[in-house]
Amino acid sequence: MTETELKPVVERSALVNADLTPTTSETDAWRTWDLFCLWMTSAHSIGSYGFAVGMLALGLSGWQTMLALFVGVLVLWGGSNLIGVAGQRVGVPFPVFARGAFGIFGANIPALLRALVAVFWYGIQTYLASTAVIVLLLRVAPGLKALTQHSFIGLSELGWIAFLVLWAAQLLIITYGMEVVRRVSDFAGPVVWIGMLALAIWILGKAGWSIDFGSRAGAALSGGKTVAAFVGVVFLMVAFMAGPLVNYADFARFSPSRKAIVRGNAWGIPFNETAFVVISIVISLATLKVYGKVLSDPVELVAHLHSDTIVVIAAALFAIATVGINVVLNFVSPSYDISNTAPKYISFRTGGIITAVLSILVLPWKLWENQNFIVYFLGGVGALMGPVFGILIVDYYLIRRQRTVVTDLYSEAPQGTYHYTRGFNPRALTALAISGTVGVLVALIPHSQYVTALSWPVGVVLGGGLMYALSAGRRSATV
């Protein structure tokens, strides 16, 4: 079907608005460099640094932690190629792409699950960026310390000011659409390397230019526990990016070719994310040597610097980087996902406003205070996103064999390919319900961080396997 045939059919549907329409030849803006920057932006944040360093707390040595995170990066790379190539070929955002597997209305279920995850992360990343801004403000204007003496719902007056300013700035960016998001990503991704390299050089100098990669933050583990911790770190790395992985079609659809997707993923994930992991672990091991403890927050480390100028620059870079990751990975997806629930009434911009408001209501600073939150929340993300990923991949590659009737993704007609049963695909929803339940149970096993980490692969295998088994009749009928 040609573009001229496609456009009128799509425009007449109640399942579409200007933001959910398929891409055209004029919208192939996200090329190899842009996708490279997208993945750079996804890795370069205070939260990503804290995650990588936090994995040391599981008991692995520095080199073991780096190796485990690298294996996780390779898994993430493979998944991004699968979902990215599919998204580029079909040319629609994630919630519309999901209609192929879950049905034209059933797709709202995985889309809203992804939106929920993004809302939490959006609030958390905004809070983390605000801590960098506070360090900057207090160094420039020490008198502002008076605004940190009292708190309201867990944040000081200065905390609220910094949080809301960043919150508003990100909302402003999203209102200008995906082209501005691309430009923000292209800037924010590379810029943080300046701060990270400078921080690494400074702390390595204080450590005498030597660190022990055999050092660990906790007690040494036995052989069996070392293997369990290693596997746990591998899949926690994937779970950390499980949400963005699922909705990668939101960006890949704007890419001009499969080659651009594969190249952008290759430079952005195994090359760049591995480099960021290495430099994060190097900095953390140096802080362990210098201060006797691992500082999981780079802003806390920046505060030890004596030069006001360097502190201001470093804090600004971390704030920019965190805003970048937030807009790209935690704002775009829920904006599309919420818009998908009622396309005629909720635009991409309106979905962004709803996301922003919800991100305040979840009180993200309270969530981040919980010491076990990183492991258990990431396990929960994997429990929800793993099955969705498995179902989408199995449906597209094994059941539909990379064939999609794009017009039917927007068709409410009962005879439409993706109408299924009143707009819901019972096979996909059954697979999601069973695998999601099992995944959540695995994620919430108390006092077992190693098992919790397996929620993502368990969800992927079980969700995809059930989808394949339940769709036996449909596979034979697929052309």
Side-chain angles (χ1 to χ4, degrees):
M1 179 170 288
T2 66
E3 183 181 319
T4 54
E5 293 173 319
L6 174 67
K7 192 173 181 180
V9 174
V10 170
E11 286 182 343
R12 288 196 298 268
S13 173
L15 296 173
V16 72
N17 57 33
D19 303 302
L20 299 179
T21 55
T23 54
T24 65
S25 58
E26 289 80 30
T27 56
D28 56 353
W30 290 72
R31 300 179 182 275
T32 296
W33 170 256
D34 303 301
L35 295 173
F36 173 38
C37 290
L38 169 70
W39 290 113
M40 275 201 289
T41 303
S42 71
H44 301 170
S45 72
I46 298 172
S48 298
Y49 173 91
F51 165 75
V53 174
M55 293 300 95
L56 286 170
L58 294 181
L60 296 177
S61 65
W63 73 265
Q64 289 171 334
T65 303
M66 285 192 296
L67 182 59
L69 289 171
F70 174 68
V71 175
V73 165
L74 293 181
V75 175
L76 176 63
W77 179 35
S80 69
N81 282 332
L82 288 173
I83 203 75
V85 169
Q88 188 276 331
R89 183 171 182 177
V90 180
V92 297
F94 159 64
V96 177
F97 182 80
R99 293 175 186 175
F102 291 90
I104 55 173
F105 301 131
N108 283 318
I109 296 174
L112 290 177
L113 288 176
R114 170 63 184 115
L116 177 65
V117 170
V119 165
F120 277 96
W121 272 119
Y122 175 73
I124 289 168
Q125 294 283 9
T126 302
Y127 165 67
L128 292 176
S130 73
T131 63
V133 172
I134 290 172
V135 169
L136 185 155
L137 292 174
L138 290 177
R139 193 58 80 93
V140 173
L144 292 175
K145 191 172 183 179
L147 296 178
T148 65
Q149 305 303 314
H150 306 285
S151 67
F152 174 69
I153 320 180
L155 276 187
S156 66
E157 293 170 81
L158 186 59
W160 273 108
I161 292 171
F163 180 87
L164 291 177
V165 167
L166 288 173
W167 178 88
Q170 293 169 112
L171 182 58
L172 181 64
I173 291 171
I174 206 72
T175 58
Y176 283 96
M178 288 297 289
E179 177 58 22
V180 173
V181 170
R182 182 183 66 83
R183 293 177 183 178
V184 169
S185 173
D186 286 355
F187 175 74
V191 75
V192 77
W193 272 115
I194 300 171
M196 289 296 288
L197 290 172
L199 197 58
I201 292 170
W202 172 75
I203 192 64
L204 283 172
K206 290 184 70 69
W209 302 102
S210 67
I211 56 175
D212 181 8
F213 283 97
S215 299
R216 62 187 79 233
L221 301 174
S222 64
K225 287 187 177 180
T226 296
V227 173
F230 187 94
V231 173
V233 171
V234 168
F235 288 113
L236 282 172
M237 175 67 220
V238 184
F240 183 72
M241 294 294 294
L245 179 61
V246 161
N247 74 278
Y248 185 37
D250 290 340
F251 306 95
R253 73 187 185 110
F254 293 112
S255 186
S257 66
R258 179 184 181 279
K259 182 182 292 185
I261 294 288
V262 173
R263 286 180 176 176
N265 290 349
W267 282 104
I269 301 180
F271 174 76
N272 175 75
E273 295 215 17
T274 298
F276 189 82
V277 162
V278 169
I279 199 169
S280 297
I281 298 298
V282 166
I283 292 173
S284 65
L285 292 176
T287 63
L288 181 63
K289 181 177 179 179
V290 174
Y291 301 109
K293 63 177 181 178
V294 172
L295 299 180
S296 59
D297 187 345
V299 175
E300 183 182 355
L301 180 57
V302 167
H304 286 81
L305 295 170
H306 297 297
S307 170
D308 289 347
T309 301
I310 295 177
V311 168
V312 169
I313 293 173
L317 289 176
F318 280 125
I320 290 170
T322 306
V323 166
I325 187 177
N326 226 13
V327 170
V328 170
L329 298 188
N330 301 319
F331 215 165
V332 170
S333 178
S335 298
Y336 277 129
D337 298 336
I338 294 173
S339 174
N340 190 68
T341 62
K344 289 298 182 183
Y345 305 100
I346 304 176
S347 65
F348 177 78
R349 180 180 299 180
T350 304
I353 294 173
I354 295 172
T355 299
V357 172
L358 291 176
S359 72
I360 299 178
L361 297 181
V362 300
L363 303 179
W365 49 90
K366 293 285 189 182
L367 300 175
W368 194 252
E369 288 176 356
N370 190 327
Q371 293 183 354
N372 293 321
F373 176 73
I374 293 179
V375 171
Y376 281 98
F377 183 71
L378 290 178
V381 172
L384 296 172
M385 295 297 98
V388 173
F389 178 80
I391 290 168
L392 289 178
I393 293 302
V394 166
D395 175 72
Y396 181 75
Y397 285 98
L398 301 182
I399 298 174
R400 288 192 282 131
R401 301 175 188 177
Q402 303 183 55
R403 297 182 178 91
T404 302
V405 183
V406 177
T407 52
D408 281 5
L409 292 174
Y410 301 90
S411 174
E412 298 174 274
Q415 65 270 25
T417 308
Y418 311 113
H419 191 272
Y420 299 110
T421 304
R422 298 180 180 179
F424 297 85
N425 183 357
R427 302 178 185 87
L429 294 176
T430 299
L432 178 60
I434 295 174
S435 57
T437 299
V438 173
V440 168
L441 291 175
V442 171
L444 298 182
I445 292 177
H447 311 299
S448 182
Q449 295 178 342
Y450 306 143
V451 177
T452 293
L454 299 178
S455 61
W456 187 85
V458 167
V460 171
V461 173
L462 187 56
L466 286 171
M467 182 66 178
Y468 189 79
L470 293 172
S471 302
R474 186 180 167 216
R475 291 199 309 274
S476 61
T478 302
V479 295

